[in-house]
Amino acid sequence: MHCVQEVTPQIFWVGGNDRRLERFENMFPLPHGVAYNSYLIMDEKTALMDTVDSAISALFLENITHVLNGRQLDYLVINHMEPDHCANIEELVRRYPEVKIVGNKKTFQFIGQFYQAPLQKNFYAVQEGDELSLGRHTLKFFFAPMVHWPEVMLTYEQSERILFSADAFGTFGALSGNLFSDQADFEAVYLEEARRYYANIVGKYGMQVQTALQKLSGVEIRMICPLHGPVWRSNLSYILDKYDHWSKYLPEKNGVVLIYASMYGNTENAMNVLAAKLSQKGLSDLRMYDVSKTHPSYIIADAWKYSHLVFGAPTYNMGLYFVMEALLRDMAGLQLQNRQVALVGNYTWAPGVVVKALRGLVEGMKNMEIIAPPFEINSAMKPEQEPALDQLAEAICASVRQLG
Ligand SMILES: Cc1cc2nc3c(=O)[nH]c(=O)nc-3n(C[C@H](O)[C@H](O)[C@H](O)COP(=O)(O)O)c2cc1C
Ligand SMILES: [Fe+2]
Ligand SMILES: [Fe+2]
């Protein structure tokens, strides 16, 4: 049975949800599932905005057949060639042999790479700023290269002022019937997942997101239709502001995330003592993670949110405990920057090794300020080290307060 929703009287959501997939990109846990959105515009000409992942192809094709109600599909706009959105291009051409596939040079290059079938005869190439009239509706194409793939386009529908935004403004988390963000409790249900999606999938491309936001700054947008998660029809400034912060690598909140690795609990103990001191000194909303327990995507999401990060780790085979090393390399790869940092190291026979490794990785990232001398433990923290840890706690508090 088809399952579609009206976005506006002539535009229909024809996507679907996947709550079974364990990990997005075989990497990121999906405790709340994921939505693959696709939108069908019914005008004098019909136009489909992107397709969906192969996991939901059957329902998707049923949805399209239902909405088209015997009509032909005239245009298939490919805003993004990642397989979670383009799994059905070949099948749509089989069903609608006359369909024009709207994309740019890179889109068509990628179609050639992913598909066997010769689809060139269906290609309809557009340039930045081109317009395509469907009747009452007119599409205008903005290129957004590397948000987060090179071929990405944003398609703006001029009559209803709707932005089809590809992965931008998307989130993990399936739709629970409510298609619009103002029907869902967005902050409670989606915000954390939206941040985790942004930081881990798009995080590296802050500059390109800024360029895209600038391009759109003169365009009046009434609705944002992303490829994942709810549609925005009200309070657009809320999500635009989040994107502005995230892509400028500006923290949303002054606060501390404590991130540790520990085999036998001694580094963990020192981090707990430090966190208790921070709390006693008045810092609230502290976050703490064990890197061996929590998937890095969640830790990275909080690193995007908060201003201060404390990393604590033991020495391992004359280096840094590798789960922590992997996390820091992940953060560096995603270009996390502009954070205040404190370091805690632990060793049994090799002093200085782990704090040096932590420092090296942190200093390899842009605008990361190490706000105090590292705190080092020799196997287990001793009471006589308390004043030194107090000093570190004081330095962290002062730095948080300084931000206001
Ligand atoms: C497999 C392994 C390798 C280690 N390699 C080193 C090392 O190269 N240098 C060192 O000083 N300590 C090394 N250690 C010791 C730990 O860093 C040290 O015991 C630390 O206190 C562990 O902290 P934890 O209780 O938070 O796990 C190693 C420990 C293990 C289990
Ligand atoms: Fe994507
Ligand atoms: Fe996607």
Side-chain angles (χ1 to χ4, degrees):
M1 165 76 187
H2 61 264
C3 179
V4 304
Q5 290 211 42
E6 197 179 293
V7 179
T8 72
Q10 284 183 285
I11 302 182
F12 298 86
W13 175 81
V14 291
N17 294 299
D18 187 349
R19 289 187 177 79
R20 290 189 174 195
L21 183 66
E22 199 57 44
R23 285 174 184 243
F24 188 78
E25 293 180 3
N26 218 3
M27 208 160 19
F28 306 107
L30 287 177
H32 312 292
V34 64
Y36 302 110
N37 297 333
S38 170
Y39 306 90
L40 185 49
I41 305 175
M42 298 297 290
D43 204 323
E44 286 164 29
K45 298 283 183 189
T46 61
L48 182 65
M49 313 305 294
D50 294 291
T51 82
V52 296
D53 189 82
S54 59
I56 59 162
S57 292
L59 174 66
F60 169 68
L61 294 165
E62 204 175 331
N63 287 347
I64 290 171
T65 307
H66 170 73
V67 176
L68 284 175
N69 194 21
R71 290 184 60 186
Q72 285 302 307
L73 180 62
D74 297 306
Y75 296 103
L76 167 58
V77 177
I78 303 294
N79 287 309
H80 187 19
M81 261 306 288
E82 196 170 355
D84 60 329
H85 306 292
C86 70
N88 299 272
I89 297 177
E90 240 183 69
E91 181 56 31
L92 285 170
V93 173
R94 249 191 301 278
R95 291 178 178 218
Y96 309 101
E98 301 302 314
V99 67
K100 292 189 171 63
I101 302 172
V102 180
N104 55 56
K105 242 172 101 179
K106 267 269 177 267
T107 322
F108 299 144
Q109 178 196 326
F110 289 176
I111 290 179
Q113 290 168 209
F114 280 106
Y115 291 105
Q116 299 293 330
L119 299 172
Q120 289 84 345
K121 64 173 184 358
N122 298 86
F123 289 172
Y124 183 96
V126 291
Q127 311 279 340
E128 170 98 52
D130 277 2
E131 295 183 9
L132 175 62
S133 172
L134 306 173
R136 202 168 75 76
H137 295 83
T138 302
L139 304 178
K140 183 168 180 169
F141 305 98
F142 293 89
F143 291 4
M146 293 320 302
V147 179
H148 63 140
W149 274 34
E151 82 297 357
V152 169
M153 303 195 300
L154 311 177
T155 299
Y156 178 66
E157 197 293 300
Q158 297 184 337
S159 71
E160 302 201 72
R161 300 184 175 81
I162 299 176
L163 182 70
F164 295 95
S165 63
D167 276 337
F169 311 108
T171 176
F172 294 134
L175 297 167
S176 303
N178 293 131
L179 177 61
F180 297 98
S181 64
D182 59 16
Q183 296 177 307
D185 185 344
F186 187 86
E187 285 213 327
V189 177
Y190 290 109
L191 178 59
E192 302 265 316
E193 287 292 77
R195 188 185 297 107
R196 187 166 69 96
Y197 179 89
Y198 178 87
N200 289 278
I201 310 275
V202 191
K204 182 180 172 65
Y205 306 105
M207 218 163 72
Q208 291 83 350
V209 171
Q210 277 295 316
T211 306
L213 289 174
Q214 238 106 68
K215 252 187 215 183
L216 294 170
S217 60
V219 180
E220 191 195 335
I221 300 170
R222 227 174 42 89
M223 199 183 284
I224 298 175
C225 293
L227 289 176
H228 303 282
V231 168
W232 290 84
R233 67 177 173 189
S234 58
N235 204 11
L236 268 57
S237 58
Y238 175 86
I239 192 70
L240 286 164
D241 180 64
K242 291 287 178 209
Y243 254 67
D244 194 42
H245 270 80
W246 294 339
S247 57
K248 284 180 178 154
Y249 305 94
L250 294 174
E252 291 160 79
K253 196 166 175 191
N254 299 331
V256 185
V257 189
L258 299 108
I259 303 160
Y260 68 84
S262 189
M263 295 171 280
Y264 302 109
N266 291 297
T267 313
E268 177 185 21
N269 172 245
M271 294 293 274
N272 274 313
V273 176
L274 174 61
K277 288 181 185 301
L278 295 176
S279 182
Q280 292 268 299
K281 288 177 192 296
L283 292 191
S284 53
D285 194 24
L286 297 168
R287 301 294 170 109
M288 190 182 290
Y289 295 104
D290 181 330
V291 294
S292 301
K293 175 76 176 186
T294 304
H295 190 274
S297 62
Y298 292 93
I299 304 175
I300 286 170
D302 263 1
W304 236 265
K305 179 176 179 184
Y306 292 95
S307 56
H308 286 66
L309 309 174
V310 183
F311 296 100
T315 317
Y316 198 87
N317 292 338
M318 290 312 280
L320 172 58
Y321 187 80
F322 75 86
V323 189
M324 178 62 87
E325 172 148 355
L327 174 72
L328 280 161
R329 290 199 186 281
D330 200 349
M331 285 180 174
L334 292 167
Q335 306 276 356
L336 178 69
Q337 45 194 278
N338 295 332
R339 295 298 185 271
Q340 270 70 41
V341 175
L343 304 175
V344 174
N346 192 356
Y347 70 98
T348 294
W349 64 87
V353 170
V354 79
V355 289
K356 186 167 170 228
L358 284 168
R359 180 186 285 280
L361 287 164
V362 169
E363 286 179 347
M365 298 185 239
K366 226 168 139 185
N367 290 338
M368 301 291 264
E369 185 197 355
I370 298 178
I371 57 174
F375 180 76
E376 249 196 317
I377 313 158
N378 188 357
S379 301
M381 188 183 157
K382 302 292 181 314
E384 52 271 27
Q385 285 188 289
E386 239 197 314
L389 197 60
D390 265 325
Q391 271 186 5
L392 180 62
E394 201 45 59
I396 294 170
C397 283
S399 172
V400 171
R401 293 206 180 94
Q402 202 189 344
L403 291 182

